[in-house]
Amino acid sequence: MDIDAPVPMVHKPFVPQNIATILCCNCGVPIDGTSAAGALCYDCVKLTVDISEGVQREATLHTCRDCERWLQPPAHWITAAPESRELLALCLRKLRGLAKVRIIDAGFIWTEPHSRRVKVKITIQQEVFEGTILQQTFEVEYVVAYHQCPDCAKSFTANTWRAVVQVRQKVPHKRTFLYLEQLILKHSAHKDTINIREVKDGLDFFYSQRNHAEKFVDFLTSVAPVRTKKSQELISMDIHTSTKSYKFSFSVELVPICKDDLVALPIKLAKQTGNIAPLTICYRIGTSINLIDPSTLQTADVSTPLYWRSPFVSLADVQELVEFVVMDIEIIGKAKGRFLPAEATVARASDLGVNDITYFTRTHLGGVLHAGDSVMGYHITGTNFNNPQFEALEQSNVYSSSIPDVILVKKFYARRKKNRSRKWQLKRMNKDEGEMLPKKQDQERMERDFEMFLRDVEEDTELRGTVALYKARQEKKEKDRMEGLETASVAETEETDGDELPVIDMEELLDEFNELDMEDEQ
């Protein structure tokens, strides 16, 4: 027999199997008696069996209206956005009886925000009889109740803090503090504080835990030249278990040197920092003090440990700046970064039309100054400085002859006030002013310092890159203008008849502006 020969296939006729058919005991529909459970069809099983019978249909959710966190029993508070996965998980955990069934799907049903109701649609499955799985969908309604969390309760109660960070700077203005405030807001370094109190020469940050205060101190150390000191006070002690309770205080002192200050370095320190000329200008405050010699454009960085080993104060601050008018200016060298050396002839603005006294000086502002511009500077000649470092310079045989008559600091833009507003704004921290409200003259000084800081942000590109700027809200400005109120969210803009003011591009501004724990600039 040939192996490859085709073999005929014999087709057997299909014989249907006999199925035991019975009638449903309720509706009389024929069903398979071998797989029917309880002699009921599937439709009758759905009508007679409720697999969600042991699951709650109503529950209560507790939220804190201050921090907007939700209570997860027994005593844990979680952060969850509306209709988020975290809130849905919390809603499902609140229901009793879901452990006996299988959850297939769950989702939120839209409700009015002011109704204080949350509705969830849940789909579950369960095996009701052997081989019969039933699926059912139902709704659960939650009532949102307000309940203050312990952290917020402590923040509204006096003397409940465990750690305080006391930030101080002994200077006559608040420009450095305003810059430090913007750094704190940009990095959200204050998120764990329970209260912020404004005191003389600084701010107090209160915390409920010691590690939160230590984290904030580490942040300040990383962004500013500071000196820290720690102390603790024993509150209570259990003699049976030797358990002690302390309150911790962290003193943080900023260097009393600010941007645009005139600084007379000790001669020994000037030789240690690159042999720079002792009479310098502070052009930036970062993790160290950045100084520049306007005559030679030599820069030096005084680190924080080096400063506190031999501390010194500024010779003059921005409140003592004098307006000068540039009569003539000539570039004398190559640019070094954003500085360009130049020789300028200037005269005091108050002397124009009175006398012909002019001053010749070297400056680092050759890139921005032109003949006829106004510039702010320090008038060294005829000024008495009660400063031991400056007296040492005058008595020195090396440096006494190099003291200039005038030191120029920054270009001055002659502004005149208008009722128009800036297109940008800054966030401000909500601070507790304490029991004593600031006096009228103190309030005017604070507004003047803040306006000066806003002008620095406009004029200094490097400073503007380290802070977060936001677009101003047009609706609020129009409303305040119609009501005749002073616009608190946007500072006044001023225009000049001559040179155009520095303008911030809209591309540099952020759209998001969170109003939960901030207030607008003033």
Side-chain angles (χ1 to χ4, degrees), residues 19-51:
I19 301 175
T21 303
I22 63 174
L23 299 179
C24 176
C25 64
N26 275 354
C27 61
V29 175
I31 58 176
D32 185 4
T34 60
S35 61
L40 293 173
C41 64
Y42 184 71
D43 294 334
C44 292
V45 170
K46 290 195 297 182
L47 293 176
T48 56
V49 179
D50 184 11
I51 61 176

Side-chain angles (χ1 to χ4, degrees), residues 1 75 78 101 120 145 151 153 156 171 176 186 237 275 299-300 302 330 366 369 374 382 413 420 475 479:
M1 181 179 178
I78 63 174
V101 297
V120 179
D151 294 338
F156 288 98
V171 291
T176 304
K186 183 177 181 180
M237 180 179 64
N275 198 22
T299 59
V302 180
E330 181 181 357
L369 292 182
S374 295
Y413 298 91
R420 299 174 59 187
E475 297 82 1
K479 180 180 178 181

Side-chain angles (χ1 to χ4, degrees), residues 13 22 40 42 44 58 92 101 129 138 189 302 308 320 344 347 352 382 389 395 404 431 468 498 502 507:
I22 63 174
L40 293 173
Y42 184 71
C44 292
E58 293 182 356
L92 296 179
V101 297
F129 300 107
F138 61 97
V302 180
W308 291 113
E320 303 176 31
L352 295 180
Q389 285 81 20
Q395 298 173 2
K431 298 182 288 291
E507 298 177 355

Side-chain angles (χ1 to χ4, degrees), residues 169-180:
Q169 187 185 32
K170 297 178 175 59
V171 291
H173 54 82
K174 299 289 185 180
R175 294 172 63 206
T176 304
F177 261 106
L178 293 171
Y179 175 62
L180 183 62

